[in-house]
Amino acid sequence: MEEIRYIEIVAQYQDMVYRIAFHDCRNSHDAEDVMQTVFLKLYQKNPEFNDEEHLKHWLIRVTMNECKRLIASPWKKRMEFFPEEEREGHSQKTGTDGYERMRERELLEQVFRLPRKYRVPIYLYYYEEYSVADIGDMLGKNPSTIQTWLSRARKKLKKLLEEVKYYE
């Protein structure tokens, strides 16, 4: 891969890869590690892409696989998760302020409480605006499974938000 093209890809997609890894790993340090690994694999493997959408799908798929590998590692299984510190840093990066930032942080906190299999499709569907079929392709699942997960995630998220009186 040409160095200039590689730098363009990293500049264009690093935020997307980081956000996906952050939502999956729930930890900024792990998200940065995953992002570094994804772009290292891109550089080393130098795959051929049909178009930009193919590149984007490849990056998302590799990101998801790296997150899964990291989460499944014996070391991570023994580590304790400190969500408040991580969420604080993430919400400050979004650029919103005051009441909106507080609401966004609270929503993000409740999304983090969802099981992993629901968090990832929610992120890809609402933040990256992928279709159910595309998410199914990326995650290697049937689109009807993704639709079911999204439906269940919405119900769980609504219940969690009602518990913290988000709608009042």
Side-chain angles (χ1 to χ4, degrees):
M1 176 175 290
E2 294 178 20
E3 186 175 343
I4 294 173
R5 176 66 178 141
Y6 176 76
I7 292 169
E8 288 172 355
I9 290 170
V10 171
Q12 184 175 358
Y13 293 108
Q14 69 182 354
D15 288 341
M16 178 194 74
V17 170
Y18 175 83
R19 286 189 313 265
I20 292 169
F22 182 81
H23 276 82
D24 202 10
C25 297
R26 301 187 299 182
N27 179 306
S28 63
H29 301 291
D30 290 341
E32 290 169 1
D33 289 345
V34 166
M35 183 175 68
Q36 182 177 13
T37 303
V38 168
F39 287 114
L40 182 62
K41 283 187 176 191
L42 174 68
Y43 188 79
Q44 289 174 336
K45 294 186 186 255
N46 192 15
E48 293 290 323
F49 300 108
N50 300 332
D51 54 17
E52 283 295 310
E53 198 62 26
H54 184 214
L55 166 64
K56 197 171 179 180
H57 279 257
W58 187 89
L59 289 170
I60 290 171
R61 187 70 186 151
V62 173
T63 302
M64 298 302 303
N65 288 341
E66 283 302 310
C67 289
K68 191 183 303 182
R69 183 194 56 75
L70 181 70
I71 291 168
S73 73
W75 172 257
K76 280 309 226 185
K77 288 182 179 178
R78 284 185 254 130
M79 293 296 294
E80 193 172 320
F81 173 61
F82 299 102
E84 289 306 317
E85 169 185 319
E86 298 303 325
R87 290 185 192 128
E88 218 28 69
H90 180 72
S91 65
Q92 290 173 356
K93 292 177 186 176
T94 61
T96 57
D97 58 342
Y99 182 72
E100 288 179 29
R101 188 181 331 161
M102 181 184 74
R103 301 278 291 170
E104 182 179 309
R105 189 178 2 198
E106 196 166 324
L107 177 61
L108 184 61
E109 185 175 319
Q110 300 312 315
V111 170
F112 276 131
R113 290 180 62 193
L114 293 172
R116 180 180 188 266
K117 73 177 182 180
Y118 298 148
R119 267 195 327 268
V120 173
I122 284 285
Y123 175 77
L124 292 174
Y125 188 78
Y126 288 105
Y127 290 92
E128 294 296 327
E129 299 179 350
Y130 277 103
S131 69
V132 170
D134 287 341
I135 296 169
D137 286 343
M138 285 182 249
L139 300 180
K141 300 289 182 188
N142 191 327
S144 62
T145 302
I146 300 301
Q147 191 65 46
T148 301
W149 285 356
L150 286 170
S151 176
R152 289 178 183 167
R154 288 182 201 110
K155 288 177 185 173
K156 286 181 178 287
L157 191 55
K158 182 178 180 181
K159 193 174 194 177
L160 290 170
L161 290 172
E162 287 171 350
E163 287 175 10
V164 296
K165 298 178 178 30
Y166 183 82
Y167 297 114
E168 291 181 358

